[in-house]
Amino acid sequence: RRATHEVANFGGLNVPRVIVSLTRLPQLEYADLRAAGHLYSPFLDKFQMSDQGADYIYTGEQPVPFMLPNGLKEIVNYTAWVDAGRRPHHYPVLTADTYMEGLPRHPQLNFLMVGLDVLDAPLLRYLRHDPTVVLVLATTNAHAMPEMRRAFFELLNYQVTCPVIIARTYPDQPLEQTQLDAATDLGGLLIDGLGDGIVLGPELLAARSHEEWLDVLTSYNQLSFGILQAARTRMSKTEYISCPSCGRTLFDLQETTAMIRKRTDHLKGIKIGIMGCIVNGPGEMADADYGYVGVGKGKIALYRGQDVIKKAVPEALAVDELIELMREDGKWIEKELLDEPVGV
Ligand code: SF4
């Protein structure tokens, strides 16, 4: 990972942060924060953060008109930050021009919008000495990833160690296409250790109803966490690594994966490999915490990491035995013990 200094909870040894842009949702209400994974219960008058609760929201010119739940902070445009009277957990985002004007800033955390084109020598030298700035790196280049990679190398060449948030916006297109594009643009950089946070902006999307915006932004938040998980930089849910199946597969892979998922999908951060046979399975699930591997007709081997722990468990008992193995390791949590989400 690119070495960065810590600014608030960005960079250093912190996990990459997720920012949800709510600029297209005017008149924000408590319940709207579900798009950022913070669920409000009118009955309890409380928020609950889901496993995919964003760290920051960006609200542009319209700061939220109420106190944010614990764990959620807000980024606003510079003028809105000044007008709002510099509230707690409220941070400004500046353009390169405003930044270089030397206007008053937040004492701990300021966001600076940059692209490759504005990262010139004077700005890069200045950034080296600012312990409060987090860069928000954006591009309109169709080949986003190579351009942003070049920007990272400019920072490396000038020994600028500010944390960087990677920002991307996509036009109206099927969600699956956005998932592919974002995974390529952001995931490709994160896998190489570049990036200390991500934000998927809705600015290019056409107008839609409030409810439809909530659905889009919720999917952007989930996509952000999914990309971080796939890049192995921040685990927020259970991970399943299953083989594609082939003529050697010794059990119904889809049915078994669905069954294991149903019993274990509350175990945040655990990686489970589900492999159809012993021939290639153990190699293909190399970084899994636990493995469920077919070894014969109706027989399953259970792995802890790369070690076989139970050699030929009858298939009917194998999921229970897998759970038993996790229990022995202190990794198992009963689903019922987890708080139910409070809903909206
Ligand atoms: S792990 Fe075995 S069953 Fe699965 S795809 Fe590879 S060879 Fe086929």
Side-chain angles (χ1 to χ4, degrees), residues 243-246 248-249 276-277 280-281 284:
C243 73
S245 90
C246 71
R248 289 196 172 113
T249 308
C277 81
N280 295 328
E284 290 180 30

PDB file of all heavy atoms in Angstrom, residues 243-246 248-249 276-277 280-281 284, ligand 1:
ATOM      1  N   CYS A 243     -15.518 -22.608  -6.509  1.00  0.00           N
ATOM      2  CA  CYS A 243     -14.974 -22.926  -7.825  1.00  0.00           C
ATOM      3  C   CYS A 243     -16.106 -22.844  -8.853  1.00  0.00           C
ATOM      4  O   CYS A 243     -17.280 -22.872  -8.490  1.00  0.00           O
ATOM      5  CB  CYS A 243     -14.323 -24.300  -7.811  1.00  0.00           C
ATOM      6  SG  CYS A 243     -15.484 -25.664  -7.749  1.00  0.00           S
ATOM      7  N   PRO A 244     -15.777 -22.746 -10.136  1.00  0.00           N
ATOM      8  CA  PRO A 244     -16.842 -22.613 -11.141  1.00  0.00           C
ATOM      9  C   PRO A 244     -17.600 -23.920 -11.375  1.00  0.00           C
ATOM     10  O   PRO A 244     -18.633 -23.920 -12.033  1.00  0.00           O
ATOM     11  CB  PRO A 244     -16.086 -22.186 -12.398  1.00  0.00           C
ATOM     12  CG  PRO A 244     -14.687 -22.645 -12.199  1.00  0.00           C
ATOM     13  CD  PRO A 244     -14.432 -22.626 -10.720  1.00  0.00           C
ATOM     14  N   SER A 245     -17.094 -25.025 -10.840  1.00  0.00           N
ATOM     15  CA  SER A 245     -17.600 -26.394 -11.019  1.00  0.00           C
ATOM     16  C   SER A 245     -17.252 -26.923 -12.412  1.00  0.00           C
ATOM     17  O   SER A 245     -17.107 -26.158 -13.362  1.00  0.00           O
ATOM     18  CB  SER A 245     -19.105 -26.517 -10.735  1.00  0.00           C
ATOM     19  OG  SER A 245     -19.858 -26.290 -11.888  1.00  0.00           O
ATOM     20  N   CYS A 246     -17.082 -28.232 -12.476  1.00  0.00           N
ATOM     21  CA  CYS A 246     -16.745 -28.880 -13.749  1.00  0.00           C
ATOM     22  C   CYS A 246     -17.122 -30.350 -13.635  1.00  0.00           C
ATOM     23  O   CYS A 246     -17.817 -30.737 -12.692  1.00  0.00           O
ATOM     24  CB  CYS A 246     -15.255 -28.714 -14.055  1.00  0.00           C
ATOM     25  SG  CYS A 246     -14.201 -29.696 -12.969  1.00  0.00           S
ATOM     26  N   ARG A 248     -15.583 -32.711 -12.515  1.00  0.00           N
ATOM     27  CA  ARG A 248     -15.071 -33.372 -11.307  1.00  0.00           C
ATOM     28  C   ARG A 248     -15.891 -33.044 -10.057  1.00  0.00           C
ATOM     29  O   ARG A 248     -15.662 -33.625  -9.003  1.00  0.00           O
ATOM     30  CB  ARG A 248     -13.635 -32.908 -11.037  1.00  0.00           C
ATOM     31  CG  ARG A 248     -12.616 -33.434 -12.002  1.00  0.00           C
ATOM     32  CD  ARG A 248     -11.233 -33.218 -11.388  1.00  0.00           C
ATOM     33  NE  ARG A 248     -10.221 -33.868 -12.167  1.00  0.00           N
ATOM     34  CZ  ARG A 248      -9.273 -33.232 -12.846  1.00  0.00           C
ATOM     35  NH1 ARG A 248      -9.228 -31.927 -12.829  1.00  0.00           N
ATOM     36  NH2 ARG A 248      -8.382 -33.898 -13.523  1.00  0.00           N
ATOM     37  N   THR A 249     -16.785 -32.064 -10.166  1.00  0.00           N
ATOM     38  CA  THR A 249     -17.508 -31.586  -8.978  1.00  0.00           C
ATOM     39  C   THR A 249     -18.267 -32.733  -8.307  1.00  0.00           C
ATOM     40  O   THR A 249     -18.983 -33.477  -8.975  1.00  0.00           O
ATOM     41  CB  THR A 249     -18.500 -30.470  -9.376  1.00  0.00           C
ATOM     42  OG1 THR A 249     -17.771 -29.498 -10.121  1.00  0.00           O
ATOM     43  CG2 THR A 249     -19.108 -29.804  -8.171  1.00  0.00           C
ATOM     44  N   GLY A 276     -15.411 -27.934  -5.409  1.00  0.00           N
ATOM     45  CA  GLY A 276     -16.067 -29.162  -5.847  1.00  0.00           C
ATOM     46  C   GLY A 276     -15.235 -30.419  -5.724  1.00  0.00           C
ATOM     47  O   GLY A 276     -15.785 -31.517  -5.647  1.00  0.00           O
ATOM     48  N   CYS A 277     -13.896 -30.306  -5.716  1.00  0.00           N
ATOM     49  CA  CYS A 277     -13.089 -31.525  -5.639  1.00  0.00           C
ATOM     50  C   CYS A 277     -11.734 -31.230  -5.012  1.00  0.00           C
ATOM     51  O   CYS A 277     -11.327 -30.079  -4.883  1.00  0.00           O
ATOM     52  CB  CYS A 277     -12.904 -32.143  -7.030  1.00  0.00           C
ATOM     53  SG  CYS A 277     -11.609 -31.329  -7.974  1.00  0.00           S
ATOM     54  N   ASN A 280      -8.113 -29.668  -7.524  1.00  0.00           N
ATOM     55  CA  ASN A 280      -7.645 -28.279  -7.613  1.00  0.00           C
ATOM     56  C   ASN A 280      -8.166 -27.405  -6.482  1.00  0.00           C
ATOM     57  O   ASN A 280      -7.686 -26.293  -6.290  1.00  0.00           O
ATOM     58  CB  ASN A 280      -8.107 -27.649  -8.934  1.00  0.00           C
ATOM     59  CG  ASN A 280      -7.463 -28.325 -10.122  1.00  0.00           C
ATOM     60  OD1 ASN A 280      -6.331 -28.784 -10.031  1.00  0.00           O
ATOM     61  ND2 ASN A 280      -8.177 -28.416 -11.215  1.00  0.00           N
ATOM     62  N   GLY A 281      -9.175 -27.901  -5.769  1.00  0.00           N
ATOM     63  CA  GLY A 281      -9.866 -27.078  -4.777  1.00  0.00           C
ATOM     64  C   GLY A 281      -8.958 -26.372  -3.789  1.00  0.00           C
ATOM     65  O   GLY A 281      -8.974 -25.138  -3.694  1.00  0.00           O
ATOM     66  N   GLU A 284      -7.133 -23.461  -5.194  1.00  0.00           N
ATOM     67  CA  GLU A 284      -7.966 -22.346  -5.653  1.00  0.00           C
ATOM     68  C   GLU A 284      -8.536 -21.521  -4.506  1.00  0.00           C
ATOM     69  O   GLU A 284      -8.964 -20.398  -4.697  1.00  0.00           O
ATOM     70  CB  GLU A 284      -9.115 -22.880  -6.526  1.00  0.00           C
ATOM     71  CG  GLU A 284      -8.633 -23.412  -7.872  1.00  0.00           C
ATOM     72  CD  GLU A 284      -9.775 -23.933  -8.734  1.00  0.00           C
ATOM     73  OE1 GLU A 284     -10.894 -23.418  -8.618  1.00  0.00           O
ATOM     74  OE2 GLU A 284      -9.538 -24.868  -9.504  1.00  0.00           O
TER      75      GLU A 284
HETATM   76  S1  SF4 B   1     -12.080 -27.275  -7.806  1.00  0.00           S
HETATM   77 FE1  SF4 B   1     -12.345 -29.301  -8.763  1.00  0.00          FE
HETATM   78  S2  SF4 B   1     -14.549 -29.367  -9.209  1.00  0.00           S
HETATM   79 FE2  SF4 B   1     -14.065 -27.233  -8.876  1.00  0.00          FE
HETATM   80  S3  SF4 B   1     -13.659 -26.426 -10.930  1.00  0.00           S
HETATM   81 FE3  SF4 B   1     -11.679 -26.984 -10.011  1.00  0.00          FE
HETATM   82  S4  SF4 B   1     -11.332 -29.083 -10.754  1.00  0.00           S
HETATM   83 FE4  SF4 B   1     -13.525 -28.666 -11.079  1.00  0.00          FE
END
